[in-house]
Amino acid sequence: KLNTFNSRDIVNTLWAYAKVGHSSPELFDALSHKAIENLDTFNSQAIANTVWAYAKVGNSSPELFEAISHEALKNLDTFNSQDITNTIWAYAKAGHSYPELFDAISQGAREKLDTFTSQNVANTLWAYAKVEHSSPELFDAM
């Protein structure tokens, strides 16, 4: 059935498994490949929820995180504060530091800082600290 999954099906399945804390490595591996094939159809929330789900269940999926970093960079202007926070948190939680993505998100976060909740601020700062990515402008702004 996975061959019929669209981006919404992929993301909703990943989110549901992660939400209940059920790690299914075989399913997550299969959905990783399906997600990479369909990344051009993922909106910012789908991107954020996908990496969140992988990080939440402890599946680091390097190929997926790398592919998503490229897609996120192309569409970062469409990310809202929650998408920014969830994405950067997931990269840090999964142990991935893509400097180009962290630099771009730093800029995007500063531009949208007025929409960040206190939890968004805390989680974003945690992510930068976790991967030891220096962003003085972001830290000063927050």
Side-chain angles (χ1 to χ4, degrees):
K1 295 221 181 230
L2 291 182
N3 62 344
T4 65
F5 275 34
N6 62 28
S7 60
R8 180 178 293 159
D9 300 329
I10 294 166
V11 175
N12 286 346
T13 301
L14 292 169
W15 182 89
Y17 271 75
K19 184 69 175 170
V20 298
H22 186 75
S23 175
S24 176
E26 298 82 15
L27 177 64
F28 273 68
D29 288 346
L31 287 175
S32 171
H33 296 296
K34 189 70 175 164
I36 291 170
E37 292 172 8
N38 292 284
L39 273 181
D40 61 334
T41 67
F42 279 46
N43 64 23
S44 59
Q45 184 178 5
I47 287 171
N49 287 352
T50 298
V51 292
W52 175 87
Y54 278 82
K56 185 79 171 154
V57 299
N59 187 323
S60 66
S61 190
E63 300 83 13
L64 178 66
F65 276 82
E66 182 174 351
I68 284 182
S69 72
H70 297 294
E71 193 64 32
L73 283 168
K74 290 190 276 186
N75 300 301
L76 204 52
D77 61 324
T78 66
F79 281 52
N80 65 29
S81 59
Q82 192 66 51
D83 300 332
I84 289 170
T85 300
N86 286 353
T87 299
I88 209 68
W89 177 90
Y91 273 80
K93 177 77 172 158
H96 296 295
S97 175
Y98 291 94
E100 188 178 358
L101 179 63
F102 274 72
D103 289 342
I105 285 183
S106 172
Q107 178 64 37
R110 290 192 320 267
E111 292 171 2
K112 298 176 181 182
L113 194 55
D114 62 326
T115 65
F116 273 57
T117 66
S118 58
Q119 188 70 56
N120 293 147
V121 170
N123 287 354
T124 300
L125 294 175
W126 174 88
Y128 280 80
K130 174 78 172 156
V131 299
E132 298 180 3
H133 187 94
S134 179
S135 183
E137 300 87 1
L138 177 63
F139 275 68
D140 288 347
M142 289 194 162

